[in-house]
Amino acid sequence: MIFWKIFRFEFDYQVRRISTWLNLIVLLAFTLIMNLITTPGDGVYANNTFHITAITVIGGLIWLIMGAAIAGEAAARDVQTRMHSLTYTTPVKKLDYLGGRFLAAFAVNALLVLSLPLGVLLSFYLPGIDQGGLLPFRPSAYLSTYFLIALPNALIATAIQFSFAALSRQVMTSYLASLLLALLAQIIAVTVARLFGNWDLVKLLDPVGVAGIVGNELATWTPIEKNTRLIALEGMFLWNRVLWLSVAMGALLFTYLRFSFANTETNRWWSGFKRRPKVHAIASAETAVLGSTAIAVPQVHRRFGFGTWYRQTLTIAWASFGKIARNPVGLTLPGAMALVSAVFGDRIMSQFGIPMLPTTQSVLGYLTASIGNLGTPWVIIPLLIMYFAGELVWRERDAGQSDLLDAVPVPEWVLLVGKLLGLGLVILVWMAILMAGGMLMQLALGYSNFETGLYLQVLFGLQLVDYLLFALLALVVHVVVNQKQIGYLVMLLVFIFIAFPSTFRVEHTMLIFGKDPGWWYTDMRAFGSTLGPWLWFKAYWIAWAVVLAVIARLLWARGREQSLKYRLRIAQRRFIGSTTWVALIASGLILTLGSFIFYNTNVLNEYQTGSDINEQKAEYERRYGQYRNTPQPQLTATKLHVEIYPDRSQVEIRAVYTLVNRETVPIDSIHLGSASGVVPGEVRFNRPATAARMDKKLSHFIYALQQPLRPGDSLKINFVVQYEERGFRHSGTNELVVKNGTYFTNYNLLPAIGYQRYKELQDPVLRKKYKLAARPAIPSLYDPVARQRPAMTDHTTLETIVGTAKDEVGVAPGR
């Protein structure tokens, strides 16, 4: 049968491709790495159902990019390679042609996703893996994950990817389908569930299972269920499979009905958006010859100076902008999301069901987010940037015009800058759409103080810079990789790294492209002191962006020979003149700015990774946990004299604590615990006492009383706290002392009495990792120690004197 011949040909073609085996290796490596860096929870074995399912589902996000290449190639390769004029005229039925190619693509994708649960299984039995922490081998745990989640997901995704590519006659639209499935559908599912207050809708509407299965269904399982329970086709999960398999079948049916072997241009689903070429009448050759007259050919003076490059750059930028703007999702998708946000503004501008005033500050908090923030619907913008960056780099080669373009006298940097400007113009339009959506949201909620200047500062300033840096990174990745599908895969991995850097043991903001310590805005403090560190980091990353642009210019592929070895040889000849100076200046800026940032984040301030903080908490409990139930006096009165110096970011506090022994036994030592990095100075007691332990690293201090404090007796402690903001940190912008808005509490600067339980590790997984005793989140009712009176039960008095700048008002608790 013709059907099976087409199937075998397509399947053999896909299996023989190096990229298919590379994808397989990447997926297996992913499962291995995830298994090594993931720590099972308390009472949960490593090979539990939740762990197997979670790695399979998350790995499926990476596979979506790989599957798009396979499905898109199967559906539109004939048109892309200009072979359709032959294949479309052969006596082949449409069902045989489409069915054979789709089934082959699905078969290859089914084998690829099989590597996810299979890789998880193999990773448990690698040399050096502790077999004592594993459950007995259960084939059903892996088979249910594959046949109920991975395989249906492969069918759904392949069907939609194949349909997009077959109807558009372009391989790259299959990547758009992956983008819609990977995040947009999940964002819509979560948004709909939040709007209607029914989280079961996430299980129904999520097509791939990251939010619906891993983040919703399995997250509620107890440790025993994770160890013993299997994925079952029941409830909302059953209806989810029915819904999305029906969508897949509907997409294939629509593709079969809409597809035609006729003209490839008129058959595209967005042909109505395309401009029709004008038709001109051409005179016959005989008439042209008889009516011809001698003409003078003008002498054209060719100019290749800055003016020509400027016009070429603008021409490429405008053409790039037009290509994206004419795409069905280029402007309509952000516009639709902005409109939906305005319609459901009353649901968005609320917290715990309580309506919030839709100030510009609050609306911008919803509209803006960091590049790697997956918890916002506006993650669609960096995903669109990733997609369209690849489209622009490969535009001429996909259209078969690369030979012509490579021969014209246009410098490589003009091509790069022109495409970046075109993408930047689209991002500008997206920012305008976000601004309009935010204002419509405010209008719909009866709020008219738009603060247009603030919109412009945030959207067209702070947020725009982030998106432009990410756009340049995406363009450079495609230029350097020089393989379209692999370029998208690499960019997806880069995006995952930016979103989850701590998973890869990278936390310093200087090592995550485009990152900054963050910024905030309030009506009282405006941007405060956050813009300074933000500007230093952005200048640092812009310098890196210039270096990346130089690399892209040097490795830009021109001509038929495009191997890396050849491009490196050409790069040596291109690395002359102005390119060398630009690279040297940018490198010098990286060293200068990087040194300044490092001095602030690692010298003026202590840099601690997440593991450092966890280790410090664990060490605090190991060293001082023995004093957890040691009797301590209660704080009954506090006198503070606070002097704030906003201009110098300093504060000095002179304090007097009055402590009373409410216990039934004498107390022979006083424990003071302070916030990390804040050491109380000039500590004096009104009775003889000596410093028995001064642990500045863990901020715990023990003073031994010469005469024990008897029940009902009291003492006073005098101390001074001096605090100064020094430079800026690598992340976070929680400065305590600022102009017009200094705010701190006793937990920030003042020492507390006794052992501090809040400094302990709370997560049971981390407690097990650091070999700390397991404990329940809520103590047992039969625990006599837990039923004892808490440390603070009586009221305390507070007397405060606050001194600050003349134009500021001091506020403290009380009356």
Side-chain angles (χ1 to χ4, degrees), residues 383-403:
L383 294 175
L384 287 174
I385 290 174
M386 291 165 56
Y387 171 70
F388 286 121
E391 282 286 272
L392 292 181
V393 171
W394 290 85
R395 179 187 179 192
E396 290 79 18
R397 280 179 275 187
D398 286 344
Q401 299 173 349
S402 58
D403 290 344

Side-chain angles (χ1 to χ4, degrees), residues 371-372 382 385-390 393 416 420 423 427 465-481 487-488 490-499 511-515 541-542 544-552:
I371 292 294
I385 290 174
M386 291 165 56
Y387 171 70
F388 286 121
V393 171
L416 177 65
L420 177 62
L423 189 52
I427 297 174
V465 172
D466 285 347
Y467 288 148
L468 288 177
L469 284 172
F470 188 72
L472 176 62
L473 177 64
L475 289 171
V476 172
V477 166
H478 276 281
V479 170
V480 173
V481 173
Y488 277 109
V490 171
M491 199 57 215
L492 177 64
L493 295 176
V494 170
F495 182 71
I496 293 174
F497 171 77
I498 293 175
L511 304 177
I512 308 167
F513 186 83
K515 292 286 285 185
W541 289 119
I542 289 173
W544 268 112
V546 173
V547 171
L548 292 178
V550 169
I551 294 173

Side-chain angles (χ1 to χ4, degrees), residues 274-275 310-327 388 391-393 395-396 401 405 414-415 417-426:
K274 295 181 67 65
R275 181 180 297 175
Y310 173 76
R311 288 189 293 272
Q312 290 172 338
T313 302
L314 292 184
T315 301
I316 295 172
W318 187 248
S320 301
F321 172 79
K323 177 177 177 60
I324 300 175
R326 288 191 297 269
N327 191 285
F388 286 121
E391 282 286 272
L392 292 181
V393 171
R395 179 187 179 192
E396 290 79 18
Q401 299 173 349
L405 179 67
V414 169
L415 297 172
V417 173
K419 292 176 186 291
L420 177 62
L421 284 179
L423 189 52
L425 287 174
V426 174

Side-chain angles (χ1 to χ4, degrees), residues 525-660:
R525 296 190 284 181
F527 291 101
S529 58
T530 61
L531 287 186
W534 185 90
L535 286 170
W536 283 111
F537 270 90
K538 290 309 173 186
Y540 170 76
W541 289 119
I542 289 173
W544 268 112
V546 173
V547 171
L548 292 178
V550 169
I551 294 173
R553 190 257 170 180
L554 296 177
L555 296 178
W556 191 278
R558 301 190 77 156
R560 291 298 181 93
E561 179 58 56
Q562 297 187 359
S563 65
L564 179 60
K565 182 178 180 181
Y566 175 78
R567 289 191 294 148
L568 288 173
R569 191 162 59 246
I570 294 296
Q572 295 177 357
R573 288 185 287 189
R574 292 174 178 171
F575 197 66
I576 56 174
S578 58
T579 303
T580 305
W581 281 107
V582 170
L584 290 175
I585 294 173
S587 300
L589 287 174
I590 290 173
L591 292 175
T592 304
L593 296 170
S595 299
F596 178 77
I597 293 173
F598 184 85
Y599 175 72
N600 278 269
T601 59
N602 290 58
V603 178
L604 293 181
N605 293 280
E606 183 182 7
Y607 169 67
Q608 288 183 308
T609 64
S611 59
D612 292 338
I613 296 173
N614 291 334
E615 177 60 39
Q616 184 171 308
K617 290 184 176 182
E619 183 60 25
Y620 177 80
E621 184 173 354
R622 295 191 201 103
R623 190 175 299 178
Y624 301 109
Q626 57 183 315
Y627 303 113
R628 185 180 291 110
N629 299 315
T630 299
Q632 289 289 287
Q634 285 194 27
L635 178 63
T636 59
T638 303
K639 289 186 177 181
L640 302 177
H641 186 162
V642 182
E643 290 293 345
I644 302 172
Y645 304 96
D647 293 336
R648 303 201 302 261
S649 297
Q650 295 177 350
V651 62
E652 180 182 279
I653 304 174
R654 294 188 176 272
V656 180
Y657 280 179
T658 300
L659 306 180
V660 178

